[in-house]
């Protein structure tokens, strides 16, 4: 973190790092209950973190934009939508037989740890209902 708000221990096990991320987010949201909205743009989904200084081909097609007042639910919905997609040909997971696109990217990391922990510490729920909005196109 360039602002030094979070110190990352790069030699830390992935599950410990993920749990800390959920706890940091919970701390940032404390006192803002009912005053925050979360937007996830499921577009140009690259194989690396957005903070990574290199961009690669998207792993799936553009899906859309999600909005929620529950940060855990929106992330679970986002993962589910990404995993319903077929990997794009030419992407680093194109042709993968894995049904979990995120696991295809990082086979040794269980992405669900962060969402499970977020739910466990009371940040939100992994349950959600998708409500598609009409685009208004004629």
């Amino acid at each position: 973190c360039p602002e030094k708000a979070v110190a990352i221990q790069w030699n830390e096990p992935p599950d410990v790092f993920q749990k800390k991320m959920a706890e940091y987010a919970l701390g940032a949201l404390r006192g803002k209950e009912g005053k925050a909205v979360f937007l996830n743009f499921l577009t140009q989904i690259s194989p690396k973190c957005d903070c990574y200084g290199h961009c690669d081909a998207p792993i799936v097609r553009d899906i859309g934009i999600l909005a929620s007042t529950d940060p855990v639910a929106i992330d679970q919905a986002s993962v589910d939508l990404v995993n319903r997609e077929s990997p794009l040909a030419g992407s680093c997971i194109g042709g993968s037989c894995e049904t979990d696109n995120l696991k295809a990217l990082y086979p040794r990391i269980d992405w669900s740890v962060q969402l499970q922990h977020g739910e466990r510490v009371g940040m939100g729920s992994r349950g959600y209902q998708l409500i598609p909005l009409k685009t208004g196109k004629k």
Side-chain angles (χ1 to χ4, degrees), residues 25-87:
L26 180 63
L29 291 170
R30 189 159 286 135
K32 299 173 188 77
E33 294 84 0
K35 298 177 184 175
V37 66
F38 303 92
L39 302 172
N40 284 2
F41 288 73
L42 301 182
T43 59
Q44 297 292 308
I45 301 170
S46 63
K48 300 282 186 189
C49 173
D50 291 344
C51 64
Y52 193 66
H54 166 72
C55 187
D56 201 350
I59 61 169
V60 296
R61 70 177 181 90
D62 289 352
I63 298 168
I65 302 169
L66 280 68
S68 179
T69 56
D70 183 329
V72 178
I74 194 172
D75 283 352
Q76 182 65 62
S78 296
V79 168
D80 290 346
L81 288 169
V82 167
N83 281 337
R84 286 183 196 156
E85 293 292 317
S86 297

Side-chain angles (χ1 to χ4, degrees), residues 70-120:
D70 183 329
V72 178
I74 194 172
D75 283 352
Q76 182 65 62
S78 296
V79 168
D80 290 346
L81 288 169
V82 167
N83 281 337
R84 286 183 196 156
E85 293 292 317
S86 297
L88 291 175
S91 74
C92 65
I93 61 170
S96 171
C97 295
E98 177 66 56
T99 57
D100 182 327
N101 289 326
L102 300 180
K103 189 169 184 69
L105 284 172
Y106 300 102
R108 295 185 307 247
I109 298 175
D110 179 1
W111 57 261
S112 69
V113 167
Q114 188 167 333
L115 297 180
Q116 289 169 2
H117 192 66
E119 186 173 50
R120 189 176 312 117

Side-chain angles (χ1 to χ4, degrees), residues 10-22:
W10 291 108
N11 59 348
E12 201 164 49
D15 60 326
V16 173
F17 173 74
Q18 290 179 81
K19 288 176 181 178
K20 285 183 178 180
M21 289 300 294

